Amino acid sequence: MKINIPNELLTVLENWLGDCHTRIKWNDVTSVFIRIDFGVRQGSVLSFHLFAIYIDDMVTRLHAGQRFFIVLYADDILIFARSIQELQTIVSICELEL
């Protein structure tokens, strides 16, 4: 809502992602359906965009006065810091924001 996504689109995404199930197949054996309670569907074309929206506030907060490098690629985060203390500060900010 902070980035002005229309309510109608939010409703569609909530309905689409809110009741997800999956099954695991190993050779010829398939499991029962398992409910997915968090995250986004692996391989979905929207996963990258939803991840970027989700972590945007965290990245903005981290860039405020910090001396580090952060690399975001798809749904991965790579953080370089000059010291363990700086890295701990960054991890703490991430923990609070997420």
Side-chain angles (χ1 to χ4, degrees):
M1 295 172 93
K2 286 183 195 178
I3 59 172
N4 299 320
I5 295 174
N7 287 335
E8 294 81 6
L9 179 56
L10 289 174
T11 301
V12 168
L13 290 172
E14 184 178 7
N15 289 331
W16 183 50
L17 298 171
D19 190 26
C20 292
H21 294 81
T22 191
R23 296 193 310 182
I24 300 169
K25 183 174 181 182
W26 181 272
N27 294 326
D28 294 330
V29 180
T30 304
S31 74
V32 297
F33 279 97
I34 302 166
R35 182 176 170 85
I36 301 173
D37 292 324
F38 56 88
V40 294
R41 295 176 180 169
Q42 186 70 26
S44 169
V45 295
L46 285 180
S47 295
F48 169 76
H49 299 288
L50 294 173
F51 177 74
I53 291 168
Y54 179 73
I55 65 163
D56 186 59
D57 288 341
M58 181 197 70
V59 173
T60 301
R61 186 171 176 188
L62 283 175
H63 281 296
Q66 296 294 324
R67 296 182 311 166
F68 68 94
F69 298 99
I70 183 168
V71 178
L72 304 173
Y73 180 76
D75 61 353
D76 296 318
I77 302 172
L78 181 61
I79 300 171
F80 297 93
R82 297 176 191 217
S83 69
I84 292 175
Q85 292 80 14
E86 286 183 11
L87 183 59
Q88 182 59 57
T89 300
I90 294 166
V91 170
S92 296
I93 290 171
C94 293
E95 184 178 41
L96 287 172
E97 189 65 39
L98 300 176

